[in-house]
Amino acid sequence: MLTVALPKGRIAKETLEIFETIFGDTFKFDDRKLILETPKFRFLLVRNQDVATYVYHQAADIGVVGLDTLDEQGLDVVRLLDLRRGVCKVAIGMRKGEKLDLSKPELKVATKMVNITKRYFEERAVSVEIIKLYGSIELAPLIGLADMIVDIVETGATMKQNGLEVVQDMMTSSTYLIANKNSYIAKKDEVLDIYEKINEVIKAEQKK
Ligand SMILES: Nc1ncnc2c1ncn2[C@@H]1O[C@H](COP(=O)(O)OP(=O)(O)OP(=O)(O)O)[C@@H](O)[C@H]1O
Ligand SMILES: O=P(O)(O)OC[C@H]1O[C@H](OP(=O)(O)OP(=O)(O)O)[C@H](O)[C@@H]1O
């Protein structure tokens, strides 16, 4: 039996669809329930930022989470497979028409991804003030809370509708299957079995 941590929302939905394709069964959480028990798997529904924590502490053997969140958290888990879903960019956004000028002093950056942002600017020897937000990041430059944001961009619609535009891409992210290091050894057959089955689904999709 493998315990699988899934983040509430789009990634859980897409991952359960993969399991349905593999096993020809229905995998659905009841209403407000956070655990889904099946003969082979126990699925846990957790917050996006908590997936790697569950896996790192072996409360879950495997999990599914965005590369952006993994990089942000830096927890020591095994990155098994790129599921080629949830493809998006982490990018710097500013108000339309504004230019990114890293020589400006005291730049303020609003973001959920404090560590990725800190690393990015440190590597460029630019000192910035990072303002941690938990959502609606695009609002920050509009009301003068920050000069720019670091956030996820997929279609660009959220930035556009809020009068922002991407001035710099920072990284590409997609959804990853991850595993706990001990589980990867102790439950190797089970972990590799599901890895291979998921990989088959992904490879078949790529061929289409
Ligand atoms: N617009 C998007 N397109 C594609 N992938 C996205 C998009 N937004 C987020 N993602 C991916 O899905 C993951 C989860 O995003 P989501 O917005 O559900 O989480 P969150 O805001 O961190 O979670 P919570 O709502 O629990 O705080 C992100 O880390 C990213 O990898
Ligand atoms: O480029 P786009 O296609 O517009 O996608 C980008 C938006 O998607 C994500 O938000 P999400 O919909 O997950 O909402 P939340 O993070 O604010 O909950 C992200 O935080 C951006 O706001």
Side-chain angles (χ1 to χ4, degrees):
M1 158 82 79
L2 285 180
T3 301
V4 189
L6 300 176
K8 290 179 179 182
R10 76 189 90 203
I11 294 179
K13 190 171 169 285
E14 288 173 347
T15 307
L16 290 172
E17 282 167 6
I18 297 178
F19 277 79
E20 290 181 352
T21 304
I22 293 169
F23 297 102
D25 217 334
T26 307
F27 291 89
K28 204 169 180 307
F29 281 86
D30 286 338
D31 195 25
R32 311 286 296 173
K33 280 192 86 167
L34 301 173
I35 296 187
L36 170 63
E37 303 268 8
T38 73
K40 279 190 173 173
F41 304 99
R42 177 200 287 133
F43 296 96
L44 310 179
L45 208 49
V46 306
R47 282 287 292 269
N48 182 49
Q49 290 95 335
D50 294 334
V51 170
T53 307
Y54 275 79
V55 171
Y56 176 74
H57 291 283
Q58 218 174 346
D61 301 303
I62 58 174
V64 180
V65 66
L67 187 60
D68 54 328
T69 307
L70 278 179
D71 274 5
E72 175 65 19
Q73 296 178 324
L75 289 170
D76 192 11
V77 295
V78 187
R79 295 175 185 191
L80 284 176
L81 182 64
D82 180 353
L83 302 189
R84 306 199 181 245
R85 282 160 170 71
V87 179
C88 55
K89 292 253 163 78
V90 176
I92 301 176
M94 295 182 79
R95 278 183 297 188
K96 201 163 183 290
E98 287 185 354
K99 295 245 168 336
L100 179 61
D101 178 3
L102 295 181
S103 67
K104 254 186 167 176
E106 293 162 29
L107 285 169
K108 289 184 188 164
V109 191
T111 186
K112 211 187 256 187
M113 291 170 266
V114 169
N115 294 326
I116 289 176
T117 304
K118 198 163 170 281
R119 271 200 304 274
Y120 181 87
F121 286 102
E122 273 176 6
E123 280 164 10
R124 285 155 185 80
V126 176
S127 150
V128 294
E129 181 184 344
I130 298 173
I131 299 168
K132 164 88 183 181
L133 292 178
Y134 293 86
S136 301
I137 317 293
E138 291 86 354
L139 194 56
L142 306 183
I143 42 85
L145 178 63
D147 301 295
M148 61 184 101
I149 61 168
V150 168
D151 198 16
I152 281 163
V153 181
E154 185 198 10
T155 61
T158 311
M159 281 221 194
K160 192 165 182 215
Q161 286 180 31
N162 288 291
L164 304 180
E165 61 187 5
V166 171
V167 292
Q168 182 68 55
D169 285 338
M170 291 165 66
M171 69 176 279
T172 300
S173 176
S174 55
T175 308
Y176 269 69
L177 177 69
I178 59 168
N180 172 275
K181 285 197 151 174
N182 293 329
S183 302
Y184 188 55
I185 295 163
K187 299 188 181 180
K188 191 160 189 151
D189 291 347
E190 280 175 277
V191 172
L192 286 184
D193 185 53
I194 191 62
Y195 161 85
E196 274 160 18
K197 288 187 163 94
I198 295 175
N199 200 16
E200 284 306 312
V201 174
I202 309 299
K203 280 201 307 205
E205 286 171 352
Q206 299 302 306
K207 278 192 199 140
K208 275 185 197 162

